[in-house]
């Protein structure tokens, strides 16, 4: 077991551009990192046998990482540290993030990736960091596909298939995305279970929807390569409607997508598990107008800029 944590680590958030839920069934997905999203710092406590602590003011968290704790964040953190052979006691960990927690932007993967990095160090192979993160992600989400951990650890724009190493997707020009948190909470595990119920109850109806969602990913990547943003926007629209047919959207998310389209977005869809969480909009030439429209309605949109 490592005796010390490293003093500092970072991880990205993520926004799924295409392929959420179908990725759970082995189809590809496309996800973008929300860069510089989460930071952890670690300092040794005076007593190395005292339970470690996690303070995360931005998320209102102040926890003892005690083996008896039933708090999912404490349990997940201990799983990550255990998996990475990190010290289980004796450390004060302090976190900060611009990601809202539990909103579909990969906050739990960012936390677990950064924690794995505190334990494994900055030179650790990314595969080991992802494996450490997944030990914690399973506490939060059951059997996640792993896309959140991969993006949190690697950054950039990635095409991901469950069980395979992700492929970076090259950009021919900068890409701006607008993420809008709905401020409605939801559980990823419950949303994944909802889709499973559809697939089991209506296999011949729901399976083809998942297949088409999977197919939308490579068509979206082709549109990006051709810099055909109107086409990418339309593919995102189709994906939102398919996700709705799988019972994953909500009236709030549909309303946010309509607002985005009314204010010049080329496409808008739910992103992540749905039910609440966020939408992702592809802005037209004036992303500022779209951002202003959401701010005027009291939302706090996040601008995600991806560079070639
Ligand atoms: C959650 O960010 C994405 C889902 O596809 C679940 C998963 O991939 O594990 C809904």
């Amino acid at each position: 077991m490592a005796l010390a944590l490293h003093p500092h680590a970072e991880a990205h958030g993520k926004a799924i551009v295409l392929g959420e839920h179908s990725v759970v069934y082995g189809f590809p997905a496309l996800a973008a990192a929300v860069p510089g999203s989460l930071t952890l710092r670690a300092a040794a406590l005076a007593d190395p046998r005292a339970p470690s602590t996690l303070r995360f003011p931005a998320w209102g968290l102040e926890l003892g990482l005690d083996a008896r704790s039933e708090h999912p964040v404490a349990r997940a953190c201990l799983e990550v540290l255990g998996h990475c052979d990190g010290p289980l006691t004796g450390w004060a960990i302090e976190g900060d993030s611009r990601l809202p927690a539990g909103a579909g932007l990969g906050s739990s993967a960012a936390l677990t990736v950064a924690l794995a990095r505190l334990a494994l160090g900055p030179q650790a192979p990314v595969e080991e960091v992802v494996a450490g993160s997944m030990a914690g992600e399973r506490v939060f989400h059951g059997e996640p596909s792993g896309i959140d951990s991969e993006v949190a650890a690697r950054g950039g724009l990635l095409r991901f298939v469950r069980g395979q190493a992700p492929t970076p997707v090259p950009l021919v020009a900068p890409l701006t995305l607008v993420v809008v948190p709905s401020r409605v909470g939801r559980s990823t595990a419950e949303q994944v279970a909802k889709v499973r119920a559809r697939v089991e109850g209506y296999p011949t109806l729901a399976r083809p929807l998942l297949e088409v969602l999977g197919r939308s990913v490579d068509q979206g990547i082709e549109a990006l390569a051709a810099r055909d943003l109107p086409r990418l926007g339309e593919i995102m629209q189709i994906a939102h409607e398919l996700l709705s047919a799988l019972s994953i959207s909500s009236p709030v998310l549909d309303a946010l997508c309509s607002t985005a389209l009314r204010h010049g977005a080329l496409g808008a869809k739910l992103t992540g598990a749905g039910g609440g969480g966020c939408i992702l909009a592809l802005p037209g030439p004036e992303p500022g107008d779209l951002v202003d429209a959401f701010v005027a309605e009291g939302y706090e949109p996040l601008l995600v800029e991806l560079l070639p």
Side-chain angles (χ1 to χ4, degrees):
M1 176 175 295
L3 295 176
L5 290 178
H6 289 257
H8 173 251
E10 287 181 8
H12 307 284
K14 70 93 193 30
I16 297 185
V17 181
L18 290 165
E20 50 274 274
H21 287 290
S22 42
V23 70
V24 172
Y25 296 82
F27 297 103
L30 176 68
V34 180
S37 290
L38 184 140
T39 312
L40 289 181
R41 292 182 189 283
L45 294 169
D47 178 358
R49 284 160 308 176
S52 294
T53 57
L54 174 68
R55 228 177 71 80
F56 213 118
W59 294 348
L61 278 178
E62 190 138 10
L63 292 173
L65 303 186
D66 189 310
R68 288 160 304 185
S69 173
E70 291 192 358
H71 196 292
V73 174
R75 283 175 37 228
C77 288
L78 287 171
E79 285 296 326
V80 175
L81 291 170
H83 182 98
C84 299
D85 281 338
L88 298 177
T89 59
W91 289 83
I93 301 166
E94 172 104 16
D96 194 17
S97 181
R98 68 178 182 130
L99 296 174
L105 296 180
S107 54
S108 65
L111 172 66
T112 52
V113 160
L115 189 59
R117 285 200 170 121
L118 282 187
L120 297 169
Q123 308 303 333
V126 71
E127 295 78 10
E128 279 182 31
V129 172
V130 168
S133 161
M134 288 293 284
E137 284 286 272
R138 281 191 278 273
V139 174
F140 289 119
H141 306 305
E143 274 306 320
S145 65
I147 188 169
D148 293 16
S149 300
E150 292 285 0
V151 181
R154 293 173 195 264
L157 186 64
L158 297 181
R159 181 185 187 274
F160 171 84
V161 176
R162 187 171 201 159
Q164 299 177 16
T167 332
V169 174
L171 280 172
V172 289
L175 178 68
T176 303
L177 300 167
V178 176
V179 173
V180 187
S182 68
R183 297 187 300 242
V184 178
R186 86 284 173 274
S187 141
T188 299
E190 278 170 24
Q191 290 292 104
V192 169
K194 240 168 135 179
V195 174
R196 189 158 303 283
R198 277 271 152 111
V199 172
E200 284 172 1
Y202 305 89
T204 56
L205 301 180
R207 279 249 164 220
L209 297 177
L210 295 172
E211 269 169 46
V212 178
L213 279 168
R215 235 175 278 150
S216 76
V217 171
D218 287 328
Q219 296 205 9
I221 292 173
E222 277 167 34
L224 257 181
R227 198 62 191 168
D228 190 345
L229 296 186
R231 186 171 172 85
L232 175 62
E234 206 146 337
I235 293 170
M236 288 169 65
Q237 277 314 118
I238 294 170
H240 181 75
E241 283 150 23
L242 293 170
L243 289 162
S244 298
L246 285 168
S247 75
I248 281 313
S249 192
S250 74
V252 175
L253 296 178
D254 291 346
L256 288 174
C257 289
S258 300
T259 303
L261 295 176
R262 269 204 319 280
H263 290 90
L266 300 173
K269 61 182 277 291
L270 69 86
T271 182
C278 296
I279 66 144
L280 178 71
L282 179 65
E286 298 296 340
D289 294 353
L290 189 58
V291 169
D292 292 348
F294 281 111
V295 170
E297 291 197 8
Y299 290 99
E300 293 176 40
L302 254 85
L303 214 56
V304 180
E305 311 260 17
L306 296 163
L307 299 174

